[in-house]
Amino acid sequence: MIIRQFQSQDAQAVSDLIRTTIRISNQKDYPEEHIKALAAEQSPEHVLERAGWTHFYVAEEEGRIIGCGAIGPYWGREDESSLFMIFVHPEKQGEGIGRALVKTLERDEYALRARRIEIPASVTGLPFYQKMGYSFKNGVDAPDEERLYRLEKYRIPEDRQKMLDLILARRSYRGRYKADRVPREHLKAILEAGLAAPSGCNKQTTSLIAVDDPALLANIKAAIDPPVAQTAPAMICVLTQRIFAYRDRCFAVQDYAAAIENMLLAIEALGYQSCWYEGHITDADRIGDKIAHILHVPEDYELVCILPVGIAEEEARAPKKKLFAERAWLNGFPEG
Ligand SMILES: Cc1cc2nc3c(=O)[nH]c(=O)nc-3n(C[C@H](O)[C@H](O)[C@H](O)COP(=O)(O)O)c2cc1C
């Protein structure tokens, strides 16, 4: 069995398949009049009309069309799609063809761009679609006036998933960096990401200095003892002003933490590696103060973190993390 794209010369065979399937498979769930009306509607012209604005697929075995299915925009929407016309010949049901068709539709570009996929399911098809992960739209578990159940599945569109994958892929990198310089455009993009972070009462207590001058970098690296980030071709220094957001509340730490994470993700997105060096440079030996001095940072700013930026020469090591279920829950802390 193969699944391929519908061609206009398939219209008659697809119409015959759908009509046969409705008459045999759906007749136990619907009154005869309804079955007749449904079958009458499924003409070759109707199939062609659907194929005109959907991506229509057929399952074929030894030259015979034994299944079909389509996906298209849900009422013209770009971020919602709908599955249509999914039928498997009664003699071929239970062989995984329906599942293969739905999987094909879910890999189609109309599915990949959608955050929600709807399916108008017949009473007959309901258990199958539920097994495929579809549930009642808005919790309504009764058929509508067309005697179809409205089912839906939420998914993460491909471009959004890439952003989430990037967040999950970020690692602290402590290895050697390649000598390649980091272009100024990239450094600026990283700084912009940092400054775009939220800040308590919008006090914007975080400021940033990017360093790519080799002599300056050498001075800074010489101040870091024990040495880290010695091969990085660029570095971002994070400054904070510990001012009150309101009354005696100071959110400076939260502000620069948000800025740092934004920058770490931008660094990852641009193909570089980094590590949040804060503990090391704010310890009793006050390396941060020495770097601030090198960079002429005024007294009312504190240098709290350095982020090396560069192309990794080695693999980043993934630290062991606790399981999801040990740290995240739905609707309350687990009992017991
Ligand atoms: C506030 C803070 C301070 C950190 N300081 C250091 C540091 O001084 N040296 C270092 O090697 N890593 C430092 N890290 C990085 C953590 O060790 C690292 O994020 C953690 O081990 C988890 O690894 P991951 O970033 O790959 O998920 C710091 C991270 C944070 C959030």
Side-chain angles (χ1 to χ4, degrees):
M1 190 271 297
I2 56 151
I3 294 178
R4 63 163 173 83
Q5 280 175 350
F6 169 90
Q7 292 161 354
S8 50
Q9 58 266 33
D10 298 324
Q12 184 65 54
V14 169
S15 163
D16 292 347
L17 160 79
I18 296 176
R19 284 173 164 165
T20 305
T21 311
I22 288 173
R23 286 195 194 107
I24 298 175
S25 304
N26 295 100
Q27 57 86 23
K28 65 178 185 341
D29 296 313
Y30 290 96
E32 204 182 320
E33 282 313 299
H34 191 78
I35 292 287
K36 272 192 187 150
L38 271 183
E41 198 180 280
Q42 300 296 331
S43 63
E45 293 73 30
H46 178 73
V47 171
L48 282 169
E49 187 274 331
R50 270 299 153 96
W53 57 274
T54 62
H55 291 171
F56 207 119
Y57 295 85
V58 294
E60 190 183 76
E61 193 177 64
E62 292 167 1
R64 179 179 161 224
I65 290 177
I66 54 167
C68 65
I71 182 164
Y74 176 76
W75 294 105
R77 297 200 48 134
E78 297 227 328
D79 62 347
E80 292 178 286
S81 294
S82 188
L83 303 188
F84 305 98
M85 320 270 279
I86 301 173
F87 292 94
V88 175
H89 194 283
E91 289 164 11
K92 292 285 167 186
Q93 288 170 11
E95 294 181 20
I97 296 163
R99 167 174 283 272
L101 278 164
V102 171
K103 288 278 163 213
T104 301
L105 297 173
E106 289 180 342
R107 280 193 299 271
D108 182 273
E109 62 176 282
Y110 279 134
L112 298 181
R113 76 179 194 182
R115 55 186 285 280
R116 194 182 73 86
I117 300 176
E118 178 157 332
I119 172 151
S122 67
V123 176
T124 323
L126 176 66
F128 166 71
Y129 296 115
Q130 285 177 314
K131 250 189 264 163
M132 297 298 293
Y134 290 81
S135 46
F136 294 116
K137 182 180 177 182
N138 301 326
V140 178
D141 61 356
D144 63 7
E145 65 282 358
E146 288 181 66
R147 302 186 203 210
L148 296 169
Y149 287 101
R150 298 280 154 184
L151 303 180
E152 65 181 0
K153 185 193 263 189
Y154 277 86
R155 58 180 307 288
I156 300 171
E158 204 179 26
D159 53 342
R160 305 285 147 161
Q161 184 61 51
K162 277 191 188 145
M163 291 170 66
L164 295 177
D165 289 345
L166 188 116
I167 293 172
L168 298 182
R170 182 211 57 79
R171 286 276 70 82
S172 290
Y173 179 74
R174 301 182 183 84
R176 289 182 60 79
Y177 289 92
K178 291 186 181 168
D180 309 42
R181 68 178 196 91
V182 180
R184 290 269 164 94
E185 293 88 335
H186 288 182
L187 280 178
K188 182 157 182 267
I190 295 163
L191 297 180
E192 280 173 344
L195 298 183
S199 67
C201 294
N202 195 28
K203 290 291 178 191
Q204 301 169 67
T205 56
T206 311
S207 304
L208 308 167
I209 300 176
V211 183
D212 67 353
D213 177 78
L216 211 46
L217 268 179
N219 274 350
I220 292 173
K221 288 171 185 171
I224 306 174
D225 180 29
V228 297
Q230 295 293 305
T231 52
M235 202 174 272
I236 291 165
C237 300
V238 181
L239 312 176
T240 185
Q241 287 179 291
R242 301 199 188 255
I243 53 179
F244 293 135
Y246 63 90
R247 291 200 310 269
D248 60 347
R249 302 298 308 277
C250 175
F251 295 124
V253 174
Q254 293 88 328
D255 296 349
Y256 75 69
I260 292 171
E261 182 61 7
N262 267 16
M263 288 191 285
L264 290 176
L265 295 177
I267 289 168
E268 176 80 29
L270 293 170
Y272 303 106
Q273 292 292 322
S274 187
C275 181
W276 180 327
Y277 287 113
E278 177 174 351
H280 188 41
I281 68 147
T282 55
D283 265 351
D285 51 353
R286 307 300 302 171
I287 296 168
D289 293 350
K290 293 174 194 160
I291 300 174
H293 182 71
I294 295 168
L295 296 173
H296 313 296
V297 174
E299 291 267 295
D300 52 335
Y301 289 80
E302 191 183 335
L303 197 154
V304 285
C305 177
I306 54 167
L307 302 177
V309 186
I311 300 173
E313 203 170 83
E314 304 157 33
E315 281 283 301
R317 280 197 214 106
K320 204 167 159 42
K321 302 240 175 176
K322 291 179 188 170
L323 296 175
F324 180 92
E326 289 177 275
R327 288 174 68 198
W329 307 286
L330 190 62
N331 296 327
F333 206 87
E335 284 171 35

